């Protein structure tokens, strides 16, 4: 195969892979050994972020953009008139090794359109990972997409060679999937998730007894949902996320704002703005669910089925629940401190440690890193300043918006801060 053809394939299949956003590499600790290549310890050409905040690079490609399905939302759908290509197994292996040797990447993110059937496609993805691990002694990060409908045997093998597995459920609701992808069955997405969950549990249990038991998908599994392709509310999307976190122990749910690339009466019109701010509000809510102790039903309900685009979800919750405030920063428990707008997880830990030695005032809180421009409306401390006030939710909202950063209104960044 000529270099020019490989380059052409890479251009086509890397471009097709850009619509999959679920490529975080956090959670894997595969160390180098036996003079192998790479080291995925603590880390994930896409950019991803590790648990310690470092940015790493992954070769992110499709095995092929040929597909037997005709999903309305997918750029690689069967009926779409685009240039098609497919990598051979060895070509992906060689690209990964050559890119790694040149320090372009630190791992591989491999997905694929479905050609022939699910098992045939999954078998090829597994073969790439297996060759990299066993023949090339590659110890870098590998993320494989699980193909819905693939056999249990292939899913078991995939987890032995990949650090993370993921199956994209694509559309948040069964009705939405039927509308845009009538050839697909929602149950086919759940089967591999359940298989991976059970295998992870089994291998961890066995490793406690037999130390030589191999790791199985050490970085866990994730999924992705498309936002804005159908008419689901944020409540429907987040209830789906909560279900997957609970039932399948997912590491992450990714939210991808729909990019209108295909003219179809079932989809938003071409030129429709990508819902970037909505996507970020979903990520912020997801963070509250996973790290701040919020139940999804506290944030969205039948009266508030969609997230407020003007203010972040924690602030929106606080404004709807002013009866819970103000809280005394020197007495409140961790659960309540985490619910104060402007105070993040790290700041809560610092507050709890610091107040063991003295009562905290506004100067102390500023040094601990809280966003006092938000928090001051919801807390009291060892000070009379700000304590005597009788503001309505609308007044507080107005004051905060007046002084907030313009990034919440201009849709400049694809990633808003989810830690506050």
């Amino acid at each position: 195969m000529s270099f020019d053809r490989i380059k052409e394939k890479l251009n086509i299949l890397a471009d097709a892979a850009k619509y999959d956003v679920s490529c975080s590499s956090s959670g894997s600790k595969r160390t180098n050994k036996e003079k192998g290549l790479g080291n995925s310890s603590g880390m994930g050409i896409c950019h991803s972020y590790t648990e310690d905040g470092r940015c790493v690079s992954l070769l992110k490609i499709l095995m092929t953009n040929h597909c037997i399905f005709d999903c309305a939302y997918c750029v690689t759908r069967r009926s779409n008139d685009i240039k098609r290509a497919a990598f051979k197994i060895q070509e992906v292996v060689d690209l990964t090794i050559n890119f790694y040797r040149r320090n372009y990447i630190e791992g591989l993110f491999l997905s694929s359109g479905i050609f022939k059937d699910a098992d045939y496609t999954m078998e090829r993805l597994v073969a790439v990972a297996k060759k990299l691990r066993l023949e090339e002694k590659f110890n870098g990060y590998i993320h494989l997409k699980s193909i819905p409908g693939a056999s249990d045997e292939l899913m078991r093998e995939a987890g032995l060679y990949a650090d993370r597995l993921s199956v994209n459920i694509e559309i948040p609701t069964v009705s939405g999937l039927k509308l845009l992808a009538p050839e697909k069955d929602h149950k086919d997405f759940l089967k591999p998730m359940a298989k991976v969950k059970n295998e992870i549990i089994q291998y961890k249990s066995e490793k406690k007894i037999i130390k030589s038991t191999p790791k199985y998908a050490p970085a866990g599994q994730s999924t992705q949902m498309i936002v804005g392709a159908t008419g689901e509310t944020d409540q429907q999307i987040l209830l789906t996320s909560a279900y997957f976190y609970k039932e399948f122990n997912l590491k992450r749910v990714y939210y991808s704002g729909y990019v209108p690339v295909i003219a179809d009466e079932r989809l938003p019109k071409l030129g429709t703005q990508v819902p970037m701010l909505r996507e970020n509000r979903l990520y912020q809510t997801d963070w509250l669910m996973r790290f701040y102790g919020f139940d999804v039903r506290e944030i969205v309900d039948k009266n508030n089925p969609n997230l407020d685009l003007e203010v972040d979800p924690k602030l929106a919750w606080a404004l709807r629940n002013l009866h819970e405030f103000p809280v005394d920063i020197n007495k409140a428990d961790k659960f309540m401190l985490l619910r104060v707008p402007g105070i993040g997880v790290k700041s809560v830990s610092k507050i709890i440690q610091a107040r063991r030695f003295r009562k905290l005032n506004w100067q102390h809180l500023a040094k601990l890193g809280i966003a006092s421009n938000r928090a001051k409306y919801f807390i009291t401390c060892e000070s009379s300043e700000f304590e005597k006030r009788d503001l309505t939710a609308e007044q507080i909202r107005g004051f905060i918006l007046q002084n907030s950063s313009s990034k919440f209104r201009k849709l400049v960044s694809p990633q808003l801060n989810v830690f506050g």
Side-chain angles (χ1 to χ4, degrees):
M1 180 66 67
S2 69
F3 170 78
D4 289 339
R5 178 53 181 157
I6 292 291
K7 184 179 179 181
E8 182 184 21
K9 287 184 181 181
L10 186 58
N11 287 335
I12 293 170
L13 298 174
D15 183 70
K18 68 185 179 184
Y19 297 100
D20 194 326
V21 300
S22 54
C23 59
S24 170
S25 61
S26 61
S28 177
K29 297 185 181 297
R30 187 184 298 273
T31 55
N32 204 334
K33 57 186 178 181
E34 298 178 0
K35 298 182 179 180
L37 288 171
N39 188 329
S40 71
S41 295
M43 68 173 188
I45 273 166
C46 68
H47 292 98
S48 183
Y49 291 88
T50 68
E51 288 182 306
D52 59 6
R54 292 181 299 111
C55 181
V56 297
S57 298
L58 304 176
L59 174 60
K60 182 180 179 183
I61 55 175
L62 298 184
M63 193 78 185
T64 182
N65 63 348
H66 290 278
C67 194
I68 62 174
F69 291 112
D70 201 30
C71 307
Y73 50 81
C74 185
V75 70
T76 63
R77 69 178 185 176
R78 183 179 67 237
S79 62
N80 199 18
D81 185 18
I82 58 172
K83 186 176 287 188
R84 307 283 178 171
F87 279 123
K88 296 178 181 178
I89 292 169
Q90 191 61 47
E91 288 173 343
V92 178
V93 172
D94 291 342
L95 277 172
T96 303
I97 296 302
N98 287 325
F99 275 36
Y100 178 81
R101 290 186 188 280
R102 288 165 175 77
N103 203 30
Y104 295 158
I105 62 168
E106 295 170 86
L108 171 68
F109 178 96
L110 184 61
S111 184
S112 183
I114 300 174
F115 54 137
K116 290 192 177 180
D117 56 46
D119 278 351
Y120 180 81
T121 305
M122 194 69 212
E123 188 174 14
R124 293 175 68 81
L125 298 182
V126 172
V128 170
K130 191 172 183 178
K131 274 180 168 284
L132 283 169
R133 295 295 190 215
L134 301 185
E135 296 180 17
E136 301 293 341
K137 306 299 182 185
F138 182 71
N139 294 305
Y141 178 82
I142 297 178
H143 182 151
L144 293 184
K145 302 301 291 191
S146 306
I147 304 300
S151 69
D152 288 351
E153 290 75 17
L154 283 169
M155 292 308 305
R156 182 183 297 109
E157 193 172 17
L160 293 174
Y161 300 110
D163 294 280
R164 174 169 287 185
L165 297 171
S166 59
V167 53
N168 290 350
I169 64 168
E170 300 169 353
I171 302 299
T173 61
V174 175
S175 58
L177 186 68
K178 286 183 178 179
L179 175 66
L180 300 182
E183 298 169 300
K184 290 187 175 180
D185 188 338
H186 188 262
K187 294 178 182 178
D188 288 339
F189 295 93
L190 305 184
K191 183 181 175 182
M193 283 188 182
K195 178 62 179 177
V196 173
K197 171 195 170 183
N198 293 334
E199 291 290 347
I200 289 174
I201 293 172
Q202 180 180 337
Y203 273 82
K204 282 184 176 179
S205 298
E206 291 180 1
K207 197 166 185 65
K208 292 178 181 178
I209 302 171
I210 305 173
K211 298 300 181 183
S212 61
T213 301
K215 294 179 180 179
Y216 184 91
Q221 63 173 327
S222 60
T223 192
Q224 172 181 298
M225 288 186 283
I226 299 171
V227 176
T230 46
E232 288 89 2
T233 64
D234 292 335
Q235 182 186 27
Q236 290 174 299
I237 293 170
L238 291 166
L239 284 173
T240 300
S241 297
Y243 170 79
F244 282 113
Y245 279 129
K246 179 181 179 181
E247 295 297 321
F248 301 107
N249 299 337
L250 295 194
K251 284 286 187 178
R252 287 290 302 274
V253 174
Y254 292 86
Y255 308 93
S256 177
Y258 176 69
V259 181
V261 293
I262 298 169
D264 190 301
E265 61 182 11
R266 295 168 291 177
L267 293 165
K269 294 181 180 179
L270 292 174
T272 301
Q273 189 177 50
V274 179
M276 294 171 61
L277 185 52
R278 183 186 181 193
E279 175 188 311
N280 279 288
R281 292 293 183 233
L282 288 167
Y283 274 117
Q284 289 174 317
T285 305
D286 187 279
W287 205 267
L288 294 181
M289 291 159 53
R290 292 191 293 135
F291 300 112
Y292 285 73
F294 280 84
D295 185 277
V296 63
R297 295 166 186 82
E298 295 180 274
I299 303 171
V300 284
D301 54 35
K302 63 180 181 180
N303 296 319
N304 301 280
N306 290 307
L307 298 170
D308 192 324
L309 296 184
E310 283 194 322
V311 298
D312 68 80
K314 185 158 76 164
L315 176 56
W317 175 85
L319 292 174
R320 293 198 304 269
N321 293 273
L322 284 182
H323 60 278
E324 301 275 3
F325 302 99
V327 300
D328 188 337
I329 210 74
N330 289 299
K331 297 179 180 178
D333 60 19
K334 180 179 180 180
F335 175 82
M336 201 61 210
L337 289 176
L338 284 170
R339 292 178 169 241
V340 177
I343 302 183
V345 174
K346 291 182 179 179
S347 294
V348 167
S349 296
K350 292 177 182 178
I351 288 170
I352 292 174
Q353 287 292 321
R355 72 188 187 184
R356 294 168 55 194
F357 304 100
R358 64 164 301 157
K359 290 187 175 182
L360 305 178
N361 59 32
W362 293 107
Q363 289 70 37
H364 299 137
L365 294 176
K367 291 180 180 179
L368 294 177
I370 76 162
S372 59
N373 62 321
R374 292 173 176 239
K376 66 184 180 182
Y377 300 104
F378 304 96
I379 62 176
T380 59
C381 61
E382 187 68 5
S383 170
S384 60
E385 189 179 2
F386 300 128
E387 287 190 8
K388 297 185 184 209
R389 55 184 181 270
D390 186 18
L391 300 175
T392 66
E394 283 304 313
Q395 287 174 320
I396 296 173
R397 179 191 181 95
F399 288 138
I400 291 176
L401 284 176
Q402 186 177 0
N403 297 312
S404 66
S405 170
S406 62
K407 70 180 178 181
F408 291 97
R409 296 187 291 271
K410 291 187 176 180
L411 302 179
V412 173
S413 171
Q415 288 290 337
L416 299 181
N417 186 355
V418 295
F419 297 97

